[in-house]
Amino acid sequence: MEKPNEIIARFSTEGTTDTVKPLGNGLINDTYLVRTAEESAPDYVLQRINHRIFTDIEGLQRNIVAVTSHLRRRLAAEGAADIDRKVLSFIPLRDDPEGRTYYFDGENYWRMSRFIPGAFTYDTVDPHYSRMAGAAFGKFQADLVDIPAQLVETIPDFHNMEFRLHQFRDAIEADAAGRLDSVRPIVDDLLRRAHYMTQAERLHREGLLPKRVCHCDTKVNNMMFDADGNVLCVIDLDTVMPSYIFSDYGDFLRSAANTVAEDSPELDKVDFRMDIFRAFTEGYLTSAAGFLTATEIELLPYAAALFPCMQAVRFLTDYLNGDTYYKTAYPDHNLVRTRNQVRLLECVERNMPEMSRFIESKLAEIANSRP
Ligand code: GN1
Ligand code: MG
């Protein structure tokens, strides 16, 4: 493997590298902040892309470049100021006739983007930030409705619940780590919900539910805010791909409305914050109601339940497989995450009727406020 400085030298960056330090806490890629010595040169983010999980790096970077260029054109057309802080820019390789934005050192894939100065991410948000995040993710989807490029699914069937249950059943069958007996009740509890949770796939097959370009990892900490709390941009674009809009709506609430972190073992503290739900939904509907279909809107409460359920299934699958996918800090980490997500799911399920009522009333308000 090449040294960071050698890797950085492959990209057409400006300035000279001063320091390289780990950045963020993603579960999949390794991220570093590259500070340059010169005031005049930007700093950069260097990432090692996990190519065990993202097997089509070429397609992945093509997606990301298509999306960021499209968003950049949109911002320019809107006459937005400070565009370099509102959309990520990826750095091409030096002297590469194909203009590639990733480098393979024989072992690992790397990419670089400009570091956005004065930007902050948060692991928890209040209703005010949630409303802005909702509007921003809704706008992200709205802006990409007319993207001319055909994007690839960077992880095929990523948010396909039928596929996740299939992997789950395989893991149960194999019981590779010998952990099945200890988790039987949770396994049964999740399988009981299989039919309800796979309704999106059935609706899609019947032509009643479209796939649109979505972010597919709308965890709250994948959104950057400026010092005044205004949304700057959406980051972590590896999973931008065609999916149901539920992906973005549901995954944000899964991470932001949980009163505790997704791996907190304190189950009695897990709750689903309806104030966050209301604020996020309001923001989302203001920018997305214009293109959403009635089916998509009606199923938003389902989306809020689907994502803790899918995440519980994914964590438990990994636990049964012996922790081969997610980074873990201790042996039962994936099981603790699973229990946490199941508890969150139960809290969501209790609130679904109220969610539907809230969405209906918001839509009526939006319709009435239109001239
Ligand atoms: C992974 O790497 P990170 O933390 O952004 C995962 C998401 C999960 C999330 C759970 C490619 O995202 O789907 O929701 O962990 N990304 C991938 O924390 O599997
Ligand atoms: Mg992330």
Side-chain angles (χ1 to χ4, degrees):
M1 186 175 111
E2 291 178 21
K3 297 203 180 65
N5 277 327
E6 293 167 343
I7 293 157
I8 294 164
R10 304 284 176 175
F11 291 86
S12 48
T13 57
E14 296 163 46
T16 41
T17 303
D18 184 14
T19 56
V20 181
K21 293 197 179 126
L23 180 71
N25 51 4
L27 295 189
I28 307 291
N29 296 323
D30 296 316
T31 309
Y32 305 89
L33 169 58
V34 178
R35 293 252 184 230
T36 52
E38 299 79 4
E39 267 306 305
S40 58
D43 295 326
Y44 296 94
V45 173
L46 169 70
Q47 274 193 314
R48 181 170 70 161
I49 316 170
N50 186 329
H51 67 281
R52 211 170 32 83
I53 290 177
F54 295 105
T55 50
D56 175 15
I57 306 274
E58 164 75 41
L60 178 151
Q61 280 301 115
R62 225 184 313 116
N63 272 8
I64 291 186
V65 169
V67 165
T68 50
S69 333
H70 187 78
L71 294 177
R72 188 170 282 272
R73 279 194 295 274
R74 257 289 141 79
L75 288 163
E78 285 165 10
D82 208 10
I83 292 183
D84 277 334
R85 292 173 76 218
K86 293 187 179 151
V87 59
L88 295 178
S89 359
F90 288 84
I91 314 297
L93 293 181
R94 255 178 228 289
D95 310 319
D96 180 39
E98 290 168 46
R100 271 173 302 200
T101 55
Y102 64 91
Y103 173 65
F104 182 56
D105 69 2
E107 226 178 300
N108 289 295
Y109 287 85
W110 301 87
R111 71 173 163 223
M112 290 187 79
S113 58
R114 262 164 181 266
F115 176 74
I116 300 185
F120 304 87
T121 58
Y122 302 97
D123 288 317
T124 54
V125 280
D126 61 14
H128 175 65
Y129 277 68
S130 297
R131 187 172 293 106
M132 289 194 295
F137 280 123
K139 182 172 188 302
F140 181 85
Q141 291 177 340
D143 283 348
L144 292 173
V145 159
D146 62 347
I147 185 170
Q150 181 67 40
L151 303 190
V152 297
E153 290 198 13
T154 56
I155 299 181
D157 296 316
F158 187 49
H159 281 165
N160 176 335
M161 191 58 181
E162 282 177 355
F163 172 71
R164 293 302 180 186
L165 284 164
H166 186 73
Q167 289 183 315
F168 187 38
R169 291 194 171 99
D170 283 351
I172 294 166
E173 179 120 350
D175 192 18
R179 288 166 159 174
L180 179 62
D181 277 349
S182 62
V183 295
R184 262 286 170 209
I186 318 179
V187 166
D188 294 341
D189 199 25
L190 287 169
L191 288 178
R192 195 166 52 74
R193 295 173 166 96
H195 184 75
Y196 177 72
M197 290 300 174
T198 49
Q199 62 175 303
E201 265 63 51
R202 288 189 295 279
L203 288 168
H204 180 64
R205 276 195 293 274
E206 288 160 24
L208 300 173
L209 183 66
K211 284 195 181 184
R212 307 178 186 278
V213 175
C214 297
H215 182 275
C216 294
D217 189 13
T218 51
K219 286 205 292 199
V220 39
N221 58 13
N222 279 336
M223 173 146 290
M224 303 241 252
F225 295 87
D226 71 12
D228 302 324
N230 302 307
V231 169
L232 283 169
C233 68
V234 173
I235 58 170
D236 212 350
L237 304 174
D238 298 318
T239 51
V240 173
M241 64 175 111
S243 186
Y244 312 123
I245 54 98
F246 306 155
S247 294
D248 294 354
Y249 181 81
D251 219 18
F252 181 87
L253 290 174
R254 181 188 74 77
S255 55
N258 192 343
T259 39
V260 296
E262 70 179 12
D263 65 348
S264 168
E266 294 184 284
L267 293 189
D268 49 341
K269 293 205 178 132
V270 173
D271 203 357
F272 184 78
R273 287 185 57 177
M274 284 297 281
D275 58 339
I276 297 285
F277 158 81
R278 281 189 288 269
F280 179 73
T281 302
E282 196 177 301
Y284 181 69
L285 289 176
T286 42
S287 43
F291 70 84
L292 295 176
T293 65
T295 306
E296 286 173 317
I297 291 175
E298 195 185 311
L299 287 176
L300 289 176
Y302 155 76
L306 175 63
F307 277 80
C309 183
M310 190 186 306
Q311 198 62 63
V313 165
R314 291 176 65 194
F315 284 146
L316 192 53
T317 300
D318 198 33
Y319 183 73
L320 291 170
N321 287 339
D323 311 318
T324 58
Y325 187 89
Y326 291 109
K327 289 180 191 168
T328 50
Y330 55 91
D332 276 355
H333 205 161
N334 272 319
L335 180 58
V336 166
R337 289 169 173 149
T338 306
R339 291 191 199 283
N340 177 304
Q341 295 296 294
V342 170
R343 181 57 65 91
L344 181 66
L345 169 61
E346 291 162 357
C347 299
V348 172
E349 285 169 341
R350 275 199 295 279
N351 280 300
M352 285 171 72
E354 193 186 328
M355 290 181 190
S356 296
R357 283 194 295 276
F358 177 82
I359 290 167
E360 247 171 64
S361 71
K362 269 298 138 199
L363 284 175
E365 258 175 47
I366 293 173
N368 288 336
S369 68
R370 289 218 173 104

